Amino acid sequence: MTRRGLLLTLTEPPAAMEEEFNAWYDTEHLPERLSIAGFRSARRWVADVAPGQGKYLATYELESVAVLDSPAYLSFYQKPTPWSRRCLGKAVVFKRWACEQADPGGADAHPDAVAVMFNGIAPNSLQTRRFIATTGESIVLCELSTPGKLAYRLYGT
């Protein structure tokens, strides 16, 4: 059985570019990614963190991590648009993890989650999913029904 995949990004634009960054993400970047076969869904999250710690988290649910080797994905990833190059090139923080879901292997993102803890565990969570990044790193997403102090809350709500 093929395990589900997750593409996880942690980003932060310069403060002066935040409005443009969010416009790019919502109008160009997410539609591009969701047009690729094997990208099941995408969500953006935002947290009140100190500058330089990564204000935005994005979770892209994948059929499998192999989607990231597909010609459709690689065409966007290897040949970004000028707007993509501008927004990502100016990012203060940009981290990316390609992951395989380890536990529970076939679980979907919880539909009622309004916040997530990245590499943290919270009591009374809706669901906790564990992933193994292609770098070997262990990633934990704890999905929550209410935002907590250390959580990323659903963007746009």
Side-chain angles (χ1 to χ4, degrees):
M1 175 177 146
T2 302
R3 290 187 182 173
R4 295 250 168 97
L6 180 79
L7 177 60
L8 183 70
T9 62
L10 187 64
T11 56
E12 185 175 325
M17 195 177 173
E18 192 158 4
E19 186 176 332
E20 179 185 358
F21 178 85
N22 287 322
W24 162 76
Y25 220 108
D26 293 340
T27 62
E28 180 179 284
H29 185 71
L30 283 179
E32 276 181 355
R33 295 310 183 256
L34 291 172
S35 74
I36 299 168
F39 270 71
R40 301 174 64 241
S41 66
R43 283 179 159 176
R44 291 186 68 204
W45 311 87
V46 61
D48 297 319
V49 296
Q53 290 188 335
K55 182 174 181 175
Y56 295 97
L57 183 71
T59 53
Y60 304 85
E61 303 288 333
L62 310 172
E63 287 297 330
S64 77
V65 76
V67 170
L68 301 177
D69 292 324
S70 71
Y73 177 76
L74 291 174
S75 71
F76 286 122
Y77 185 69
Q78 294 173 341
K79 297 174 192 157
T81 67
W83 202 13
S84 292
R85 280 194 306 275
R86 174 178 160 70
C87 288
L88 290 176
K90 301 226 182 239
V92 176
V93 174
F94 179 76
K95 295 180 182 179
R96 177 185 179 275
W97 297 269
C99 305
E100 187 172 75
Q101 189 164 310
D103 181 46
D108 288 323
H110 199 287
D112 297 331
V114 298
V116 293
M117 286 187 71
F118 172 53
N119 281 340
I121 299 198
N124 304 318
S125 65
L126 294 168
Q127 174 174 252
T128 298
R129 295 187 296 155
R130 290 173 176 76
F131 301 86
I132 303 298
T134 55
T135 59
E137 235 177 310
S138 180
I139 305 283
V140 176
L141 284 183
C142 188
E143 298 164 321
L144 309 169
S145 60
T146 56
K149 184 178 178 185
L150 300 175
Y152 284 80
R153 64 192 179 283
L154 197 56
Y155 174 79
T157 59

